Amino acid sequence: MAGSGAAAAAGAAADGTTPVVSRGVTIPAFYHPPADLPATNGTLIRTEPLPLGLSIPGLDGRPMPGTATRLMYRSTDSNGRAVGVTGAYIEPSAAWRGTGPRPLVAVASGTMGQGDQCAPSFALQHPLTLTGDTLSVGYEALAIYRLLATGAAVVVTDYVGLGATDRLHTYVNRLDEGRALLDAARAARTVPGASVTDRSRVGLYGYSQGGGASAAAAELQPTYAPDVPLAGTYVGAPPADLTAVIGGIDGSALAGALGWSLNGFAQSDPAVRDVIEANVNDAGRAALTDTSTMCVGDAILRYAFTKSSRWITGGRSLTAVIAASPEAAAVLDRQRIGTLKPAGPVRVATGVQDDIVPHRQARQLAVDWCRKGANVTYQAVSLPNLGDKLLTNHLAPLITDQGDAVAWLTDRLAGRTAYSNCWTMPLQP
């Protein structure tokens, strides 16, 4: 299977006795899950202090924006197996001035890559990882620190297999991501020194891959984690329809993400693994193994604007392969977000020029949720076309909408009512 060499090497060191090295970066022993996991989802497995790479001393002696703790906790993957997931909890220095106890925001990071050195918790300690073999930038720190400034606590998930060295990261797998995010919120309540409790309102926040994770979590919460008091969910640029997103990513600056998707689904679903084995050529196999340890920076430098037809026998596109395989098409169909009604109010934001995570399928998620009677605030972010397939049309709304997204979520955490604008959808781009 593509990428299996990297997974086997990681698994062999999962007992922590042998250091795992990913593209020249030694992964701390903390990230090696134990063989025996707790019985309950969201249970802490271990913690340790996490030095923030971007921190300053406050006037009262406490670090700004807060004090961080590295986490490992139990979750359940899409095959029903227990998994150890890593992440980070940050207790803010700022006071919470809203109503009720200090709330919690569970942050689902945007795309970081598939190598363990790309994990969001690792990036909080090392905002820039730059070696001769890898490049990773902790760009989510801006949103995380803005949330902390409101007085809300923040917990960040590394997702299944990103950081944790016993398996590959299951990129854009909605069940793995949504459950990992909800279980991070559960785990945060028992972090030593945490001020959040089971009465704290919880918000979910994510953009891009993170938007898919937060959207999936909002749909899963009623059945998977009804004990998490969900107050609101921000869903930015969500990859809700992976079939459409594959077309947007193919040949783009982020073409390497196709490798992460194939690696992850080949690990979790035998049907996809069989389709890959039957259709990927030698160049594709090499690329899948290569991407399995890459961060975003590496993938852009190595595979930007690569077309999937270079990796597939007969020069077909990945879209064509999926269309010809009922098994693979069924797997992607099961990944569709929007088939369930989300819990609580949701804010869906999408850039109308986004050609990487296509705007139309993100808008369709809002339509689907509205049709199910959900409380949806839809925001179409209108910006000029900043360059086809360059990532610019995808990344610009991340910045321009961030202030409004944080403000909207803070209002939900304070108990303020959200009013749906579903009635405006026929008029919205």
Side-chain angles (χ1 to χ4, degrees):
M1 181 183 72
S4 61
D15 60 0
T17 59
T18 304
V20 172
V21 179
S22 182
R23 291 190 176 263
V25 178
T26 299
I27 308 302
F30 183 95
Y31 289 88
H32 309 327
D36 296 323
L37 298 174
T40 306
N41 289 322
T43 301
L44 281 177
I45 298 169
R46 62 173 71 118
T47 65
E48 69 176 16
L50 173 62
L52 293 175
L54 300 173
S55 181
I56 59 173
L59 295 177
D60 59 0
R62 293 186 299 169
M64 297 288 291
T67 303
T69 302
R70 202 186 321 264
L71 319 174
M72 181 182 287
Y73 59 93
R74 182 228 155 98
S75 190
T76 297
D77 71 11
S78 56
N79 289 309
R81 295 185 298 236
V83 287
V85 181
T86 54
Y89 172 82
I90 308 174
E91 178 74 17
S93 299
W96 170 246
R97 303 190 185 283
T99 60
R102 186 191 299 278
L104 174 71
V105 179
V107 172
S109 175
T111 296
M112 297 294 288
Q114 199 159 46
D116 290 326
Q117 77 280 12
C118 321
S121 66
F122 198 77
L124 285 169
Q125 182 176 1
H126 306 283
L128 175 64
T129 299
L130 177 61
T131 70
D133 300 311
T134 193
L135 169 60
S136 181
V137 179
Y139 61 89
E140 287 287 7
L142 178 58
I144 291 169
Y145 284 24
R146 291 178 85 160
L147 290 164
L148 290 167
T150 69
V154 169
V155 67
V156 182
T157 181
D158 288 339
Y159 300 126
V160 173
L162 187 56
T165 56
D166 62 336
R167 66 190 66 214
L168 284 175
H169 170 43
T170 46
Y171 183 68
V172 296
N173 182 312
R174 71 175 183 91
L175 289 177
D176 282 14
E177 292 181 341
R179 290 171 177 175
L181 188 61
L182 291 167
D183 286 328
R186 286 166 157 163
R189 302 166 180 166
T190 56
V191 171
S195 59
V196 296
T197 71
D198 57 4
R199 297 186 302 106
S200 296
R201 295 187 182 106
V202 175
L204 306 178
Y205 185 101
Y207 187 91
S208 191
Q209 179 187 2
S214 64
E219 289 190 343
L220 294 171
Q221 185 270 347
T223 55
Y224 183 79
D227 56 302
V228 174
L230 190 54
T233 301
Y234 167 62
V235 177
D241 180 351
L242 295 187
T243 302
V245 175
I246 285 171
I249 292 176
D250 200 345
S252 76
L254 197 60
L258 294 178
W260 302 328
S261 300
L262 292 175
N263 285 334
F265 284 117
Q267 177 180 248
S268 60
D269 198 300
V272 175
R273 181 169 65 246
D274 292 344
V275 171
I276 292 172
E277 295 290 355
N279 290 280
V280 173
N281 59 26
D282 289 344
R285 295 177 195 278
L288 294 182
T289 299
D290 195 22
T291 56
S292 70
T293 56
M294 281 185 165
C295 299
V296 169
D298 316 331
I300 291 175
L301 292 173
R302 178 71 177 85
Y303 293 108
F305 309 115
T306 297
K307 294 186 180 298
S308 63
S309 56
R310 292 180 54 186
W311 297 349
I312 296 173
T313 55
R316 293 169 296 159
S317 69
L318 181 57
T319 298
V321 170
I322 293 169
S325 169
E327 297 84 2
V331 169
L332 292 191
D333 188 58
R334 290 194 296 271
Q335 292 295 324
R336 181 72 177 263
I337 305 170
T339 63
L340 300 171
K341 180 180 177 180
V346 293
R347 182 179 188 271
V348 179
T350 166
V352 297
Q353 299 289 350
D354 195 333
D355 52 354
I356 303 296
V357 180
H359 163 68
R360 187 159 296 279
Q361 60 86 44
R363 183 188 186 279
Q364 186 61 46
L365 173 62
V367 171
D368 291 342
W369 278 347
C370 284
R371 287 173 176 167
K372 294 182 181 302
N375 183 339
V376 179
T377 299
Y378 171 76
Q379 179 62 53
V381 183
S382 297
L383 296 170
N385 188 330
L386 301 175
D388 294 340
K389 299 287 189 176
L390 296 179
L391 271 179
T392 42
N393 286 326
H394 178 59
L395 294 178
L398 167 70
I399 303 300
T400 60
D401 187 57
Q402 192 172 88
D404 289 343
V406 170
W408 181 90
L409 191 57
T410 302
D411 282 345
R412 306 292 78 75
L413 297 174
R416 300 185 184 97
T417 302
Y419 296 98
S420 173
N421 67 352
C422 281
W423 64 273
T424 70
M425 290 304 301
L427 308 175
Q428 295 265 25

